[in-house]
Amino acid sequence: MARRGAPGLVVPASRGLRVAVAVTRWHTDIVDTMLDRALSALREAQVQQPTVAKVPGALELPLMCQHLAKHHDAVVALGVIMRGDTPVFDHICATVSSGLLRVSLDESTPVGNGVLKVEDETQAWARSGSSESIADRGHEAVVAALYTAHALHDCAPPTLTG
C-alpha cells in the first residue's frame, strides 16, 4: 500500500460536533477493531456521545449514512468487502463507494469512508488498526470526516438575520 504523499493529519479538537459511525455486521472481528479505533479517535477529538449504528452489510451503509447525515455534522462508514467466489465483488465495491459519495454530496455532510475493499483477511487485518496493522482505516476515516466538517463549517456562509 502506498503511503507516500499521505497527509500528516492529527485528530482535530471537535467538541460540540455530532458524529455518527455506521458499521457492518460482516467480518465482525475486523470491523469491531476498526470501530474501537474510530471511537478512540472520537474520544481524542473530544466528541461527546457519538452515535453507533449497525447494519447487516456493506450495501446497507449508504442508506444508514444518509439517515444519520440528516442529524449529524459528520458520519463515518466502516466495513469490510472481501472478494469471494462470485463475481459481485467489483459491483458491491463500486455501489457502496458511489453511494457513500452521493450521501455526502446530497446531504452536504462529510462521510468518512472506512470501508475496506480487500482480497482476503490478511489484507483486511493489515488495514484494521490492530497492533500488527500497517494502516488504521477506522481512525483515518474519522480524522478525514472531522477535518472536512471543520472545513465546511469555516466556509459556511454567514447566517442571515432579520
Side-chain angles (χ1 to χ4, degrees):
M1 169 167 48
R3 298 293 299 164
R4 188 179 64 208
L9 301 178
V10 296
V11 179
S14 301
R15 182 180 295 260
L17 286 185
R18 296 162 299 157
V19 181
V21 182
V23 297
T24 63
R25 294 182 186 271
W26 280 77
H27 308 289
T28 54
D29 49 348
I30 298 166
V31 174
D32 285 349
T33 299
M34 294 172 64
L35 177 59
D36 287 345
R37 295 297 302 141
L39 293 175
S40 174
L42 291 169
R43 281 190 299 276
E44 187 177 340
Q46 302 173 347
V47 171
Q48 304 294 313
Q49 299 179 324
T51 301
V52 176
K54 295 192 176 188
V55 296
L59 287 174
E60 291 76 31
L61 282 171
L63 178 60
M64 179 56 74
C65 287
Q66 184 173 42
H67 173 74
L68 294 167
K70 294 180 186 308
H71 308 288
H72 292 82
D73 300 305
V75 178
V76 175
L78 300 177
V80 176
I81 304 171
M82 200 174 301
R83 188 177 298 279
D85 296 330
T86 62
V88 300
F89 175 79
D90 293 327
H91 169 72
I92 293 171
C93 291
T95 300
V96 171
S97 292
S98 64
L100 294 175
L101 175 61
R102 182 178 149 206
V103 168
S104 187
L105 295 172
D106 289 352
E107 300 299 329
S108 295
T109 302
V111 177
N113 187 342
V115 180
L116 303 179
K117 296 116 182 135
V118 296
E119 297 291 324
D120 54 39
E121 268 193 52
T122 301
Q123 288 182 355
W125 278 113
R127 291 157 179 80
S128 69
S130 71
S131 58
E132 297 84 30
S133 294
I134 60 171
D136 191 348
R137 291 297 183 240
H139 189 277
E140 292 168 6
V142 165
V143 172
L146 293 177
Y147 267 91
T148 306
H150 285 288
L152 288 172
H153 182 271
D154 292 344
C155 295
T159 303
L160 300 177
T161 58

